[in-house]
Amino acid sequence: MNGFAVFTTNIMAIELFVQKSVDIMLPIARDTIRRDGAHSPTAILHTVSRVIPVMMTFQDIRQRRDQVEEVKKMALEEDAYAVSAISCARVVDCRLSVYEEALVIATTARGLPPYFVKQNFIRDAQGNVIMFEDPVKGEDAWAIGQMMILPEWDATS
């Protein structure tokens, strides 16, 4: 077997692991939104032996940038093969003065394009989350303002 076939097989395995991990994270994130009414931005480092959740607690753009840089550093130190960012997005249509809210998971992995999952949700008049729409996966799930963490992995690893 040549090196290219092994590399391709490894990339396909990582892609499958990423998708399965997101499928596990999504219901947990939904439960959090139902229970708390929100989901704090969270980074998940995917390593061979475990997943490492990192709560993001920034109050402004400078703190956000600093925390993202810290997560990137942790990803490299932990030899993560992927990093997921879980956040809520609010997309506003200024023309109609309406908005949509969505739970968004954006995952970056070594050697793969980003993988997106978005699931819109609806609140009642009291602000409680009452319904989730079907999740959208892949490029169609990209949302403006979503958090994506891109460690500077060595292209050869």
Side-chain angles (χ1 to χ4, degrees):
M1 185 180 270
N2 64 30
F4 182 72
V6 171
F7 181 73
T8 302
T9 302
N10 288 342
I11 291 295
M12 290 170 51
I14 290 172
E15 188 172 28
L16 185 60
F17 280 135
V18 165
Q19 291 173 3
K20 285 186 178 196
S21 294
V22 170
D23 287 344
I24 292 168
M25 290 185 290
L26 188 60
I28 296 168
R30 278 194 309 256
D31 288 345
T32 300
I33 290 175
R34 266 192 214 103
R35 183 189 66 234
D36 300 341
H39 195 293
S40 297
T42 305
I44 307 290
L45 308 179
H46 304 262
T47 73
V48 171
S49 60
R50 62 189 174 139
V51 295
I52 305 167
V54 181
M55 185 73 91
M56 310 289 282
T57 59
F58 53 83
Q59 299 297 316
D60 57 35
I61 194 70
R62 184 189 58 72
Q63 287 180 353
R64 175 182 169 160
R65 186 175 41 247
D66 290 348
Q67 288 181 17
V68 166
E69 288 305 314
E70 186 62 29
V71 169
K72 289 179 182 181
K73 181 179 168 188
M74 288 175 62
L76 297 173
E77 289 171 354
E78 295 290 338
D79 196 28
Y81 64 84
V83 179
S84 293
I86 305 171
S87 59
C88 288
R90 189 176 210 180
V91 179
V92 179
D93 185 336
C94 296
R95 299 166 297 171
L96 302 174
S97 295
V98 297
Y99 63 89
E100 294 180 335
E101 289 184 282
L103 173 63
V104 180
I105 302 176
T107 304
T108 55
R110 293 183 192 206
L112 292 171
Y115 178 67
F116 305 109
V117 175
K118 177 176 81 169
Q119 189 165 25
N120 289 2
F121 57 89
I122 298 170
R123 297 179 187 271
D124 64 14
Q126 291 75 40
N128 300 310
V129 176
I130 57 169
M131 188 182 92
F132 284 91
E133 296 178 5
D134 290 337
V136 178
K137 299 178 180 184
E139 290 179 15
D140 293 337
W142 184 85
I144 294 172
Q146 73 188 23
M147 180 184 292
M148 228 167 64
I149 300 174
L150 301 162
E152 296 170 4
W153 286 304
D154 180 355
T156 62
S157 61

